[in-house]
Amino acid sequence: EVQLVESGGGLVQPGRSLKLSCVASGFTFSNYGMNWIRQAPGKGLEWVAYISSGSSYIYYAETVKGRFTISRDNAKNTLYLQMTSLRSEDTALYYCARRGVAPFDYWGQGVMVTVSS
Amino acid sequence: DIQMTQSPASLSASLEEIVTITCKASQGIDDYLSWYQQKPGKSPQLLIYDATSLADGVPSRFSGSRSGTQYSLKISRPQVDDSGIYYCLQSYSTPFTFGSGTKLEIK
């Protein structure tokens, strides 16, 4: 069974940093591209970042480019999102999702990030 | 960026109706279009990918189609359990962009 479990969220002050993790199981993690997608409270879905299976290709939404860094450790079956210079508008539920037959064929349960003073 | 214009924003339907949700892409996306269902407090779930392919385990009452740059999700004889918010997504080019969502209530 494919499982994606995010962690690392919490309350953080504006301008500070936070690192999210997503641990994968039930599939060969190193064979799949991965994504981060976020959802602000009561709002729609926003794609954040993508990383290919071997980390050769990385793409970001303009809203996070230069502040967020997506990375992965295939030996640990773990995806990361390093978030710096956080703003109130980054407050959201952050999901990791696998790129399989579809861009996001499996999703984690999400981890909440709240940016507030 | 490719814009996805999704409609309607909300709708209510009965068990005997056919429900149709549409997404119009601002340019051609070569069928790189997927549909997702999100229930309250839950993660989105994949329904349709590549515009018309049904994801594993998704009931056959869900189907996808295309006409030009307009993509449609159809639910035939919806069930109460199909209530939720539906999103389309284009993955033709980054940034990947979602439609604004359709809130569906099945009475």
Side-chain angles (χ1 to χ4, degrees), chain B residues 12-56:
Chain B
S12 182
S14 68
L15 295 172
E16 298 305 311
E17 290 185 48
I18 295 176
V19 171
T20 302
I21 299 168
T22 64
C23 270
K24 185 169 177 61
S26 59
Q27 66 183 74
I29 58 172
D30 203 20
D31 288 353
Y32 286 92
L33 189 285
S34 44
W35 291 96
Y36 300 83
Q37 177 197 61
Q38 186 175 33
K39 296 182 179 180
K42 300 293 187 181
S43 308
Q45 302 264 309
L46 175 67
L47 298 174
I48 301 283
Y49 63 97
D50 294 346
T52 60
S53 297
L54 198 64
D56 287 347

Side-chain angles (χ1 to χ4, degrees), chain A residues 6-94:
Chain A
E6 302 94 337
S7 62
L11 174 63
V12 62
Q13 293 179 327
R16 304 299 290 265
S17 300
L18 203 60
K19 188 172 186 177
L20 305 183
S21 299
C22 167
V23 176
S25 61
F27 65 102
T28 305
F29 180 71
S30 58
N31 287 350
Y32 290 85
M34 297 293 295
N35 296 271
W36 287 100
I37 299 124
R38 67 185 181 183
Q39 186 169 35
K43 301 296 184 182
L45 299 166
E46 180 189 16
W47 170 78
V48 172
Y50 166 81
I51 185 168
S52 61
S53 57
S55 302
S56 297
Y57 299 97
I58 289 175
Y59 305 104
Y60 297 98
E62 283 298 321
T63 51
V64 306
K65 193 176 291 184
R67 300 188 299 122
F68 290 12
T69 302
I70 188 172
S71 63
R72 63 191 296 162
D73 185 334
N74 286 342
K76 294 183 177 180
N77 289 345
T78 303
L79 174 72
Y80 302 102
L81 186 67
Q82 176 71 54
M83 304 183 293
T84 64
S85 302
L86 282 161
R87 306 166 180 169
S88 58
E89 54 264 38
D90 295 319
T91 293
L93 187 62
Y94 284 74

